[in-house]
Amino acid sequence: MTAGYLVFYLLGRILWCPLEDSSLLGWLLWERPSGGESYLYGWLLSSGLFWWAMALSALTALLGWYRLSCTTCAYFLIGFLMGLVLGPHPAGAAMGHGHYGWAFWGCIYLLSLPMGLLAERAGRKGVTFASRRGRLLAAGLVLCPLLSAVLAALAKAP
């Protein structure tokens, strides 16, 4: 899971951090993302939530909770993509914010915790994805963030 986060980190650096006038080490560690479409990526880095989410996935994997680790990693990415697409909000919006990507990411990521624990519990009880209960669990793991995305898109629509 840590490798997935590091690939995501490097992709974000390539897409949103300018390399000119910077050393490779400075670009990798200190260069700030630029542009409006990098708001969520920059916010995750500056708040430290990117690194905390990666540490949680790595720690749960080390403890043997692979389903929780995979769920938090997958929901991190889903929440990021959803925040990237649905987050921009017109200037002059209620409460004066121009981007709500952080809220979409946060809700989806927090949803990963109970869903991952549910998957862990099912795994401890011997439920496999080949069984009927396992297929229902897998469907719930996939549909839960997608349903959240649909509801958020409907709420954002004029």
Side-chain angles (χ1 to χ4, degrees):
M1 290 304 115
T2 304
Y5 280 97
L6 293 177
V7 167
F8 180 77
Y9 177 77
L10 289 175
L11 282 174
R13 287 284 173 190
I14 291 168
L15 291 173
W16 296 304
C17 294
L19 184 56
E20 63 251 5
D21 300 328
S22 180
S23 67
L24 180 62
L25 185 61
W27 177 77
L28 279 173
L29 300 177
W30 297 293
E31 189 69 38
R32 304 279 315 200
S34 62
E37 59 277 342
S38 67
Y39 169 82
L40 183 56
Y41 179 75
W43 177 79
L44 285 169
L45 290 178
S46 66
S47 66
L49 289 172
F50 180 91
W51 303 112
W52 282 105
M54 183 177 81
L56 179 66
S57 287
L59 179 63
T60 55
L62 288 173
L63 293 173
W65 298 349
Y66 303 112
R67 291 178 181 200
L68 177 59
S69 180
C70 288
T71 303
T72 56
C73 187
Y75 280 38
F76 179 96
L77 182 60
I78 291 167
F80 179 81
L81 293 174
M82 193 172 99
L84 202 63
V85 172
L86 298 174
H89 203 272
M95 300 178 2
H97 296 291
H99 205 292
Y100 293 119
W102 60 271
F104 292 114
W105 176 84
C107 289
I108 294 297
Y109 188 75
L110 289 177
L111 184 63
S112 75
L113 300 174
M115 295 303 287
L117 290 171
L118 182 66
E120 279 300 324
R121 184 169 182 238
R124 301 273 186 253
K125 288 187 170 193
V127 176
T128 65
F129 288 119
S131 69
R132 183 172 190 265
R133 292 178 82 188
R135 287 191 302 271
L136 285 172
L137 175 65
L141 287 171
V142 171
L143 291 176
C144 200
L146 294 179
L147 179 62
S148 299
V150 168
L151 291 174
L154 290 174
K156 186 177 176 175

